[in-house]
Amino acid sequence: MHRVALIKGDGIGPEVTEAAMEVIRAVTDRINFVEFEGGTEVFRRFGVPIKDEDLEEIRKMDAVLFGATTTPFDIPNYKSLIITLRRELGLYANLRIIPDLWGDREIYIVRENSEGLYSGEYEVDDGRIVDFRVITENGAERIAKFAIELAKERNLKEITFVHKANILMGDRFFRRIVLGLAEREGIGVRERLIDSFTIELVRNPWQHRIILSENLFGDILSDLASIHARSIGIIPSGNYGTEIALFEPIHGSAPDIAGKGIANPIGAILSGAMLLEYLGLNGRVIWDAVRDYVKEGNLTPDLGGNAMTVEVVNGIVSKIEEREIDPIEWDELWVDEIRINTIPTLFMK
Ligand code: ATP
């Protein structure tokens, strides 16, 4: 049995995580979900977005499934729950998958998640503030390795590395590490400068399959690339550390549609698929079922349909069940197959 921490959050967070759990349960009964509270309410009561003892428990789990939480502006000193979790759990790699669900292609955005301009280090001096854009050898190496391993696992021959090495010293250092490692591993690197690359990412996105960048650049690029998925509601992500990984849809808590039963659950469901792959279970069957469903099924309003969340969940579960294979067998079959040729050990527990 795998133990997975569940943090549903608020807004549409609970609706979409419950949807993901239902789909996961249609694939495997080998996950034991343990629920934890976190976010604004916890902060109001305890002054932290998640309690220390809960964090300690979560550290002992195999993975985390996260919904969404609102980060309010009006609570003084409020610390974002997801940023706290990324830091406390050492989740250094952020992988966002921008899927073309109607075609058979994806863009993987690999963002360094722990340093760069979001290092949190700054200096206040007489009349000026300096934010430090920290790039360490260890930080650059481990994220470059992550992107290169992903390329190998997906049978891709190259990655796109986006930087501003013509101006920034940190990116010069980062670039040397990425190019050196890629050469040793036999993976090509297409280099792009961050400013002109934004235009390319709008006009001609699908020729770049794996995009690697520093924290702030990666943050902006991954938001920009989201437009190619047709709705923010369908994009999944994983945050990986050396001990644990956390999976979440990229959308926020969407207070405007919360409680109406119309949230698109696909981003959370595909995050569940990434979670299963990380645990060595059959996540691929969920990707296939979602792709089958969207081609013919009724979609939620963000994708132009009039389906409720529950209808989409039921439709995807039916697609899984149509495969008429015993779920236990799937796991075993896929664990073997994944070990051989799909998921590199880097992404697995
Ligand atoms: P937060 O403060 O939590 O980030 P937000 O409203 O600023 O919330 P999102 O939650 O990402 O940001 O929502 C942006 C827009 O996208 C909203 O109009 C929301 O309704 C829509 N949206 C986000 N997620 C979904 C979803 N899963 N299904 C349908 N619409 C969504």
Side-chain angles (χ1 to χ4, degrees):
M1 264 327 236
H2 300 282
R3 293 177 78 225
V4 173
L6 179 71
I7 305 175
K8 295 181 180 174
D10 49 55
I12 60 169
E15 300 166 45
V16 297
T17 34
E18 275 154 29
M21 281 165 61
E22 208 170 318
V23 172
I24 288 171
R25 284 203 192 100
V27 178
T28 180
D29 56 6
R30 294 188 191 178
I31 294 184
N32 189 4
F33 287 102
V34 184
E35 193 167 346
F36 294 90
E37 266 189 305
T40 331
E41 267 318 299
V42 174
F43 192 86
R44 281 190 216 280
R45 277 184 282 146
F46 304 102
V48 283
I50 186 154
K51 287 188 283 176
D52 285 348
E53 60 259 40
D54 286 350
L55 256 180
E56 283 318 304
E57 281 305 304
I58 291 172
R59 279 187 228 283
K60 295 181 208 149
M61 303 269 160
D62 296 314
V64 184
L65 183 63
F66 186 86
T69 52
T70 313
T71 300
F73 292 106
D74 56 344
I75 305 182
N77 303 322
Y78 183 74
K79 285 198 190 74
S80 148
L81 174 59
I82 188 68
I83 290 174
T84 304
L85 289 169
R86 281 181 187 153
R87 198 187 50 241
E88 291 291 332
L89 301 177
L91 307 176
Y92 69 89
N94 182 267
L95 172 63
R96 252 183 207 195
I97 305 183
I98 313 291
D100 173 7
L101 291 179
W102 293 264
D104 199 12
R105 49 192 186 174
E106 287 122 20
I107 303 170
Y108 302 91
I109 308 223
V110 177
R111 163 187 169 193
E112 203 295 316
N113 222 10
S114 64
E115 44 185 43
L117 203 51
Y118 297 165
S119 67
E121 292 181 33
Y122 62 96
E123 203 174 82
V124 184
D125 210 356
D126 198 17
R128 72 181 205 141
I129 297 182
V130 182
D131 287 299
F132 289 104
R133 187 173 184 272
V134 177
I135 308 235
T136 64
E137 189 171 3
N138 178 39
E141 254 168 22
R142 64 187 181 180
I143 197 70
K145 181 155 189 281
F146 187 93
I148 288 165
E149 289 299 322
L150 181 64
K152 288 202 227 160
E153 176 244 320
R154 303 280 142 150
N155 286 325
L156 298 169
K157 297 200 165 23
E158 62 181 14
I159 62 169
T160 300
F161 176 47
V162 184
H163 59 72
K164 192 72 185 171
N166 54 341
I167 306 283
L168 298 171
M169 294 312 288
D171 273 3
R172 262 182 225 186
F173 180 66
F174 193 2
R175 175 176 181 269
R176 249 201 332 267
I177 289 169
V178 172
L179 295 187
L181 193 64
E183 193 181 358
R184 288 198 293 284
E185 297 291 333
I187 294 292
V189 179
R190 280 204 272 184
E191 292 188 71
R192 292 290 188 274
L193 292 178
I194 177 70
D195 37 6
S196 55
F197 184 68
T198 53
I199 300 169
E200 205 175 329
L201 192 57
V202 171
R203 289 211 178 122
N204 206 357
W206 299 105
Q207 57 163 305
H208 298 279
R209 298 289 309 281
I210 297 181
I211 298 170
L212 167 65
S213 208
E214 165 273 346
N215 208 336
L216 173 67
F217 292 169
D219 191 9
I220 296 169
L221 291 177
S222 55
D223 269 20
L224 180 60
S226 306
I227 54 170
H228 299 299
R230 299 199 198 177
S231 166
I232 192 173
I234 67 173
I235 304 174
S237 77
N239 296 269
Y240 299 80
T242 48
E243 304 296 326
I244 194 168
L246 177 152
F247 300 88
E248 52 163 343
I250 72 154
H251 61 73
S253 60
D256 52 335
I257 56 165
K260 294 186 178 158
I262 55 163
N264 192 334
I266 292 177
I269 289 169
L270 293 177
S271 301
M274 292 175 76
L275 165 79
L276 292 197
E277 289 180 347
Y278 175 73
L279 296 174
L281 301 174
N282 186 0
R284 176 60 75 84
V285 75
I286 297 181
W287 280 96
D288 290 345
V290 167
R291 283 200 149 99
D292 287 351
Y293 178 79
V294 296
K295 284 179 192 125
E296 60 194 51
N298 193 4
L299 303 169
T300 44
D302 56 308
L303 286 171
N306 58 10
M308 305 288 282
T309 309
V310 61
E311 191 178 339
V312 176
V313 173
N314 291 342
I316 293 169
V317 168
S318 303
K319 291 288 177 197
I320 291 170
E321 285 166 354
E322 268 171 28
R323 289 167 192 261
E324 287 178 4
I325 306 173
D326 182 280
I328 300 295
E329 275 178 24
W330 285 346
D331 285 349
E332 279 154 9
L333 178 87
W334 278 89
V335 165
D336 282 341
E337 222 165 291
I338 283 167
R339 285 221 171 103
I340 295 161
N341 59 18
T342 38
I343 303 295
T345 48
L346 180 71
F347 301 119
M348 283 176 65
K349 278 299 289 175

